[in-house]
Amino acid sequence: MLTEREAVKRNKLKENKPYVYEKIQRFEEKIRRGESIAIIQMQYNYACNFHCTHCSIKRFRGTNGNRQMTPDDVRELARQADELGLARFVITGGEPLVFPDLDEVVKAIDPQKFYINMDTNGWFLDFEKAKHLKEIGIDRVQLSIDSLEPEGHDQFRAHDGSFKHTMDAVKACQDAGMDLFIQTVVTKQRLYSDEFIKFIEYFNAMDIGVFVTFAKPVGAWERQYDILINDEDLKYFNTLEKEYNTYSHLTPAYGLNMGCIAVKGMFSVTQYGDVLPCPYIHISIGNIFKEPLKDIIQRGYDIKYFGEHVDCCTIAQDKDFICKYIETCVYDHELPVKCEDVFGEEAKTVIPFNEAPSFLG
């Protein structure tokens, strides 16, 4: 059952992008058949003007002699994604607004065939840029803000003046008629703070939703387990969802309760073509330069953590998963680690997620 807010967005999509709307209308049918409806989070280029405290792709950045994504590669990825009935892209990096070929990338995706989000830290996002992004086919901007206190945000982002630039970017998007939501990182400690509640209330008062990314012990935060949430913390966040316009990747959407959305509802493609189950699980389930996307998704489904219904975020909550696989096989290894070097027979899918009794919301 769609929420009222989702219904409004769906009607708008039907009017503006009928082809995308039709693909999304088939999501429940695809899920029932055990097929992915994933958002493709495309880490097109790791170039960035920031060095954030929590940077999840810290060890991906730098010189790498491997083949790198080009607009032609994006075009082929989008072609295969469209054939699979996928409907959504997120352009990220790095920072997309420093990409010299961003316009080409958007064109290669084909905005008439996909709903396109773009991540940004907001530093370069003024009114003219927001207007331009809308004109070339970006549907929505995900602005990263991590505190209402300027000093706190600037320290977190390791960039003086970043708070002011980002808040100016909020106004620029609104003035340009660009849809946006605020993306914020929440640790266990921040979750219960007065600042976090005020943060949600501030942006909700501007009719802006707040997307919560729960802290993960990866990237610049490797082995920082004290920041992780647990089941009780998630239950508390669920109470906030009922009171405010805030949500996470675990929030049911499209009338579907998918739990962890790795592979099923989202996967990442790195600058070097590797497909990760989610942006924070730095394990490759295949490479788009070497094999079809369909085969890569199937390989992900063959691993129970991605092919079965999981009620928690494994990389933000499941200490057993983190200790058994991430601590042992990912930390201190060259990234991304191949899935066959991580998961053995014990990790094979037994009950496909579409056969679980709670997979529909």
Side-chain angles (χ1 to χ4, degrees):
M1 187 72 176
L2 295 179
T3 65
E4 181 179 349
R5 189 178 297 274
E6 282 184 310
V8 170
K9 291 180 179 178
R10 191 72 64 88
N11 289 334
K12 182 178 179 181
L13 184 65
K14 183 178 182 179
E15 180 180 345
N16 296 333
K17 292 190 173 184
Y19 182 76
V20 180
Y21 170 82
E22 290 300 326
K23 286 199 286 187
I24 289 177
Q25 286 293 95
R26 293 191 286 270
F27 273 6
E28 183 174 327
E29 175 189 341
K30 286 175 64 61
I31 286 291
R32 287 186 183 277
R33 292 199 303 261
E35 298 176 8
S36 176
I37 59 170
I39 299 168
I40 300 175
Q41 196 240 25
M42 189 172 62
Q43 301 170 2
Y44 180 73
N45 190 314
Y46 293 128
C48 189
N49 59 316
F50 279 17
H51 294 278
C52 300
T53 301
H54 70 307
C55 182
S56 64
I57 48 90
K58 181 179 180 180
R59 290 209 286 128
F60 284 87
R61 297 173 71 176
T63 303
N64 187 317
N66 294 338
R67 176 179 171 183
Q68 300 182 24
M69 292 274 280
T70 68
D72 284 342
D73 295 319
V74 173
R75 187 172 295 105
E76 174 57 21
L77 173 62
R79 184 194 66 77
Q80 292 185 50
D82 184 44
E83 286 186 352
L84 294 173
L86 304 183
R88 299 163 294 168
F89 267 83
V90 174
I91 301 173
T92 188
E95 167 54 47
L97 291 183
V98 305
F99 300 168
D101 54 355
L102 177 60
D103 287 23
E104 294 178 66
V105 170
V106 175
K107 184 178 180 180
I109 293 172
D110 191 344
Q112 292 308 308
K113 293 182 179 179
F114 294 92
Y115 187 88
I116 304 175
N117 279 297
M118 189 196 77
D119 283 334
T120 180
N121 58 42
W123 186 267
F124 297 109
L125 187 54
D126 56 18
F127 172 76
E128 289 301 324
K129 180 63 70 173
K131 183 179 177 182
H132 175 72
L133 293 175
K134 186 176 181 181
E135 288 172 348
I136 65 173
I138 300 290
D139 295 289
R140 186 169 61 175
V141 164
Q142 303 174 184
L143 267 172
S144 296
I145 305 179
D146 293 296
S147 176
L148 279 183
E149 301 167 358
E151 290 184 3
H153 177 83
D154 288 2
Q155 183 177 13
F156 194 81
R157 294 282 161 178
H159 207 304
D160 291 343
S162 61
F163 179 81
K164 182 182 185 306
H165 276 76
T166 308
M167 295 303 290
D168 287 346
V170 172
K171 186 177 187 305
C173 286
Q174 291 184 317
D175 290 347
M178 167 63 77
D179 286 345
L180 80 153
F181 64 87
I182 303 303
Q183 182 169 281
T184 194
V185 176
V186 175
T187 62
K188 181 185 185 73
Q189 295 76 20
R190 188 184 182 210
L191 179 62
Y192 294 97
S193 69
D194 291 338
E195 179 273 332
F196 179 53
I197 298 299
K198 292 177 181 176
F199 184 96
I200 297 172
E201 291 176 341
Y202 179 85
F203 289 107
N204 281 186
M206 301 170 69
D207 197 29
I208 300 174
V210 174
F211 176 79
V212 167
T213 297
F214 295 117
K216 322 291 196 303
V218 300
W221 277 353
E222 285 188 359
R223 296 187 171 93
Q224 294 192 31
Y225 301 136
D226 61 313
I227 61 177
L228 303 183
I229 65 166
N230 58 30
D231 291 346
E232 291 302 313
D233 301 328
L234 185 59
K235 289 178 183 177
Y236 168 68
F237 179 73
N238 291 340
T239 67
L240 298 182
E241 290 181 291
K242 296 175 183 177
E243 185 174 354
Y244 301 104
N245 179 15
T246 185
Y247 42 93
S248 75
H249 66 282
L250 291 170
T251 303
Y254 303 101
L256 304 170
N257 176 19
M258 298 178 66
C260 174
I261 63 172
V263 183
K264 300 179 284 290
M266 171 179 272
F267 57 77
S268 296
V269 181
T270 74
Q271 180 177 340
Y272 308 106
D274 287 294
V275 177
L276 314 179
C278 89
Y280 308 100
I281 299 177
H282 297 158
I283 299 169
S284 176
I285 57 174
N287 189 294
I288 62 168
F289 300 151
K290 300 176 181 179
E291 60 185 321
L293 182 60
K294 182 179 181 180
D295 294 347
I296 296 172
I297 292 173
Q298 184 58 57
R299 183 176 297 114
Y301 276 178
D302 290 340
I303 300 168
K304 70 178 182 180
Y305 298 100
F306 319 127
E308 296 184 5
H309 185 94
V310 179
D311 285 328
C312 72
C313 175
T314 55
I315 195 64
Q317 291 177 258
D318 189 341
K319 285 294 292 293
D320 290 338
F321 175 86
I322 293 168
C323 291
K324 184 172 184 177
Y325 298 112
I326 307 303
E327 178 76 41
T328 304
C329 303
V330 177
Y331 294 158
D332 304 322
H333 290 72
E334 184 177 349
L335 300 180
V337 181
K338 293 180 180 180
C339 62
E340 56 265 33
D341 294 334
V342 178
F343 302 109
E345 289 294 316
E346 85 291 343
K348 283 193 173 182
T349 294
V350 177
I351 304 174
F353 72 93
N354 61 313
E355 295 180 11
S358 59
F359 86 99
L360 287 178

